[in-house]
Amino acid sequence: MFGASSTGRPIATPESIIITEGAVVDLRYEGKAASIRVTKVIKPQPEFEGAIGAFEHEPEHADLKQGDVVRFNYDKIQHIHKWIEADQA
């Protein structure tokens, strides 16, 4: 899932991508993928906050809905859709 950056540079693991505000990731929640836009880095990379965009094209699932803010870490990330390449080391 993490193959290469948009410039073709190989990315070995999701942890090698520096996630900053504005990145878009997928998390898994009760069997559904949730698209999350990162709004805050809580600690230097291990924890993030983000707003839910949608659950696999649905506005809500279980007790969460579009716009809710959730906290997560790298272990919960299923896929990274977009990251800010200018923020990469």
Side-chain angles (χ1 to χ4, degrees):
M1 283 187 151
F2 294 96
S5 71
S6 62
T7 60
R9 292 188 328 261
I11 301 293
T13 63
E15 292 84 358
S16 66
I17 298 172
I18 299 169
I19 297 176
T20 56
E21 292 177 14
V24 178
V25 302
D26 277 351
L27 307 180
R28 203 89 180 138
Y29 181 71
E30 293 190 1
K32 296 248 182 186
S35 176
I36 310 289
R37 177 169 302 278
V38 176
T39 57
K40 184 177 184 182
V41 178
I42 306 301
K43 296 180 182 176
Q45 289 306 298
E47 291 186 351
F48 311 93
E49 275 187 5
I52 295 173
F55 283 96
E56 295 180 21
H57 310 291
E58 298 173 3
E60 59 186 70
H61 177 69
D63 58 340
L64 294 175
K65 63 184 180 306
Q66 195 170 28
D68 284 352
V69 174
V70 295
R71 187 175 284 197
F72 59 96
N73 58 33
Y74 271 114
D75 294 341
K76 302 297 182 189
I77 297 173
Q78 177 180 344
H79 183 71
I80 301 173
H81 288 284
K82 174 185 167 189
W83 64 90
I84 313 304
E85 290 208 36
D87 293 337
Q88 303 305 300

